[in-house]
Amino acid sequence: QANNKGVIMGFEERLNASVGTDNLKSEVLKLMPVDFVASLSGASSLGSDIMRSSDYDQSALRRALLLLTRDAINALHIGRGVASRLSVVAINEVLHWQCRRCNGAGEVIAGKVRIECPDCNGYGTHRWSDGERARLARLPTDTWRKWHPKYVRVLEIARVELSYVVGLAKKRMG
């Protein structure tokens, strides 16, 4: 189940843990639902951090960007600056996939009638333009074609890591 905040599960998980062996005092530690899912998945650090950043965890977002940048440098043999810029765009595209008009529903309300969203043709996904990607990467739009093949590879790395997390979580949670 997903709610409007992007939380995977609709309830809080709590862990009742003993503080120490000589002290039987018990303390309730609040775990975010996304932490619970990511920990169950046994996922990679990158996949877990992308999942956590979808729940507005800024430190997880920073870690995900650093990890994806490192993977991009190793996979594509490009400099840190370009790898970082392409990673920012890829993580944004992975996290903000919903259509801007219908918020991923695939339909909008016109008067009293629901109709197929004209922006996404009912798919619920945002189609990122090369111009949007270039602006987000802070690269000149006319040079984006040069970077596009490398960007596709960085985006693939991010999507594979995130889908691995989601797939394992679904498998383990039934």
Side-chain angles (χ1 to χ4, degrees):
Q1 295 176 348
N3 66 18
N4 60 358
K5 292 183 182 177
V7 176
I8 299 301
M9 295 163 31
F11 57 90
E12 291 181 1
E13 292 295 324
R14 297 194 182 269
L15 174 66
N16 194 4
S18 175
V19 176
T21 56
D22 60 343
N23 182 355
L24 297 179
K25 178 181 166 191
S26 181
E27 180 178 317
V28 175
L29 301 173
K30 180 179 177 187
L31 294 179
M32 295 172 63
V34 71
D35 290 327
F36 182 74
V37 172
S39 69
L40 281 178
S41 70
S44 69
S45 296
L46 176 56
S48 292
D49 285 336
I50 292 173
M51 175 73 86
R52 284 185 176 94
S53 63
S54 70
D55 199 38
Y56 308 105
D57 183 339
Q58 291 299 312
S59 58
L61 178 59
R62 282 190 290 280
R63 284 190 310 270
L65 286 169
L66 289 172
L67 290 169
L68 187 56
T69 298
R70 182 200 62 195
D71 289 354
I73 290 168
N74 292 335
L76 301 170
H77 308 292
I78 56 178
R80 179 171 299 282
V82 171
S84 176
R85 290 174 182 203
L86 296 178
S87 296
V88 165
V89 180
I91 290 202
N92 266 288
E93 190 163 339
V94 166
L95 292 178
H96 304 291
W97 57 269
Q98 303 93 338
C99 172
R100 304 305 183 257
R101 180 179 280 189
C102 68
N103 292 320
E107 58 188 22
V108 292
I109 297 175
K112 295 183 179 184
V113 180
R114 289 183 187 196
I115 61 170
E116 183 178 272
C117 177
D119 287 3
C120 67
N121 296 322
Y123 290 104
T125 57
H126 178 68
R127 291 187 180 173
W128 289 74
S129 69
D130 287 347
E132 283 178 292
R133 290 173 176 150
R135 281 188 297 280
L136 192 55
R138 294 177 293 140
L139 293 170
T141 307
D142 57 341
T143 65
W144 181 254
R145 284 185 182 270
K146 171 187 172 185
W147 297 110
H148 186 263
K150 293 182 186 309
Y151 169 72
V152 168
R153 180 67 182 114
V154 175
L155 180 61
E156 178 186 8
I157 293 168
R159 284 185 172 158
V160 165
E161 292 293 332
L162 183 60
S163 67
Y164 184 69
V165 171
V166 173
L168 280 176
K170 284 181 180 178
K171 183 178 176 182
R172 291 186 178 180
M173 295 183 74

